[in-house]
C-alpha cells in the first residue's frame, strides 16, 4: 500500500477524522500499522478472542454473527469498510468478543497495537474525542430508545437488539432463532406476536422467511419506529 493510499484510508476512518497531516504522519511513524488480507471464508475475528489491537475493516465485506440469549438467537449482518472490530472491548474489565466474523469477499484490515494506540490518543485530543464519541453513541442511542419507547414491545425488543449488535452502516441483517421460534424467544410466545410480525412485514419493515428467520429491510428506519410510534 502506497503512502498516499495509506493516508487516504486512515483519513476516512471515523476514529481518525479531523486530524492534521502532521498528526497522520506521527501515526504512521510511531505506530506499527499491520495490514492483513483475508480470502472469502477466512475468519477475521473469533468469538471469545481477547481484543488487544485496534482493528478496522478497510476493504471488502465481512459476515458477522452475534450470539444472543445463550445461543438461542443469532444476529447476522454484513460488515462494510470503516467498521472497527471489537473496539468496544478494547478497554474495560471484559475484553472478550461475543461475535465472530468471516470474509465474504477478499477483504483487508488494518491493526494497531492497543498500547501504541493509547499513546497516540493521549497525545492527540482529536483522536481522543473521536474515540469517546464512537464508544458513547451506541449506548446513548440505546438509552434514548428505551426512554422513548411507549412499552417494551416486540418493536422495542428488536430495535434494542439491533442497537446492541449492529451499526448504521450494517447491511443484510437477519435474526435467526435456534431450536425455538423467534416469537417464543423474544416474547415468550405472546399470543399477539405472530400478528405483530405480520404487521411489521406488511408495513415493509421486515421480511419473514419462516418462524425462525426474519430479515430487517432497513435497520435505521426500523429503529426510528420507537420515536415515531407508528406501530
Amino acid at each position: 500500500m502506497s503512502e498516499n493510499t495509506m493516508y487516504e484510508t486512515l483519513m476516512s476512518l471515523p476514529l481518525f477524522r479531523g486530524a492534521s497531516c502532521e498528526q497522520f504522519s506521527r501515526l504512521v511513524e510511531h505506530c506499527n500499522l499491520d495490514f492483513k488480507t483475508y480470502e472469502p471464508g477466512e475468519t477475521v475475528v473469533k468469538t471469545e478472542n481477547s481484543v488487544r489491537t485496534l482493528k478496522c475493516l478497510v476493504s471488502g465485506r465481512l459476515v458477522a454473527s452475534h450470539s444472543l440469549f445463550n445461543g438461542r438467537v443469532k444476529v447476522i449482518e454484513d460488515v462494510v469498510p470503516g467498521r472497527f472490530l471489537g473496539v468496544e472491548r478494547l478497554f474495560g474489565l471484559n475484553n472478550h468478543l461475543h461475535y465472530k466474523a468471516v470474509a465474504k469477499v477478499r477483504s483487508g484490515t488494518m491493526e494497531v497495537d492497543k498500547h501504541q494506540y493509547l499513546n497516540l490518543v493521549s497525545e492527540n485530543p482529536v483522536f481522543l474525542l473521536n474515540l469517546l464519541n464512537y464508544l458513547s453513541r451506541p449506548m446513548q442511542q440505546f438509552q434514548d430508545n428505551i426512554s422513548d419507547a411507549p412499552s417494551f414491545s416486540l418493536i422495542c425488543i428488536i430495535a434494542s437488539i439491533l442497537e446492541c449488535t449492529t451499526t448504521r452502516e450494517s447491511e443484510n441483517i437477519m435474526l435467526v432463532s435456534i431450536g425455538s421460534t423467534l416469537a417464543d424467544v423474544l416474547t415468550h410466545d405472546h399470543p399477539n406476536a405472530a400478528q405483530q410480525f405480520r404487521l411489521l412485514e406488511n408495513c415493509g419493515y421486515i421480511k419473514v422467511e419462516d418462524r425462525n428467520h426474519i430479515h430487517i429491510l432497513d435497520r435505521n428506519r426500523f429503529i426510528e419506529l420507537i420515536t415515531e410510534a407508528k406501530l
Side-chain angles (χ1 to χ4, degrees):
M1 180 178 288
S2 68
E3 184 174 304
N4 287 338
T5 302
M6 182 186 299
Y7 273 33
E8 291 175 1
T9 299
L10 294 177
M11 290 176 67
S12 68
L13 300 179
L15 293 188
F16 303 129
R17 286 175 187 157
S20 65
C21 293
E22 182 180 349
Q23 289 170 321
F24 277 115
S25 297
R26 184 170 179 78
L27 169 66
V28 175
E29 290 174 3
H30 295 273
C31 293
N32 181 25
L33 303 180
D34 187 10
F35 291 88
K36 296 181 180 179
T37 300
Y38 298 85
E39 298 300 327
E42 282 194 273
T43 299
V44 180
V45 294
K46 297 179 181 179
T47 305
E48 295 301 327
N49 267 13
S50 180
V51 180
R52 297 177 180 175
T53 62
L54 181 71
K55 179 183 288 190
C56 181
L57 180 68
V58 295
S59 65
R61 181 176 289 253
L62 310 179
V63 177
S65 177
H66 307 259
S67 181
L68 305 176
F69 304 115
N70 199 27
R72 298 178 68 196
V73 171
K74 292 187 181 299
V75 179
I76 301 171
E77 58 162 332
D78 277 11
V79 177
V80 298
R83 173 87 161 264
F84 284 89
L85 306 169
V87 65
E88 69 279 1
R89 296 284 176 170
L90 195 59
F91 308 103
L93 298 177
N94 187 351
N95 301 121
H96 292 87
L97 288 173
H98 291 286
Y99 70 92
K100 65 178 181 180
V102 300
K104 188 172 185 178
V105 297
R106 198 167 194 263
S107 304
T109 62
M110 181 207 71
E111 292 184 60
V112 59
D113 179 76
K114 173 180 178 178
H115 299 291
Q116 290 183 342
Y117 176 62
L118 280 175
N119 290 334
L120 181 72
V121 167
S122 66
E123 297 173 1
N124 295 276
V126 172
F127 293 150
L128 176 60
L129 287 174
N130 285 343
L131 175 63
L132 293 176
N133 287 332
Y134 191 90
L135 293 177
S136 63
R137 187 182 70 175
M139 180 53 65
Q140 290 175 347
Q141 187 63 58
F142 175 78
Q143 291 174 335
D144 290 344
N145 288 342
I146 294 296
S147 298
D148 295 338
S151 65
F152 202 59
S153 61
L154 178 64
I155 293 173
C156 185
I157 294 169
I158 295 176
S160 299
I161 289 173
L162 296 177
E163 283 285 2
C164 291
T165 57
T166 64
T167 69
R168 295 185 62 84
E169 295 73 30
S170 297
E171 299 178 356
N172 299 327
I173 302 173
M174 181 168 60
L175 271 62
V176 181
S177 62
I178 311 298
S180 303
T181 67
L182 275 171
D184 183 33
V185 179
L186 300 182
T187 69
H188 290 289
D189 205 17
H190 190 280
N192 292 331
Q195 180 181 354
Q196 293 180 57
F197 276 119
R198 285 195 299 270
L199 180 58
L200 287 169
E201 183 172 37
N202 291 338
C203 292
Y205 293 102
I206 66 173
K207 178 182 178 182
V208 179
E209 186 170 323
D210 55 43
R211 298 176 68 191
N212 298 75
H213 301 73
I214 65 168
H215 297 266
I216 306 297
L217 300 182
D218 188 325
R219 181 250 190 208
N220 302 321
R221 182 167 167 252
F222 190 102
I223 291 174
E224 289 172 357
L225 275 173
I226 292 179
T227 55
E228 294 175 1
K230 287 184 177 179
L231 294 175

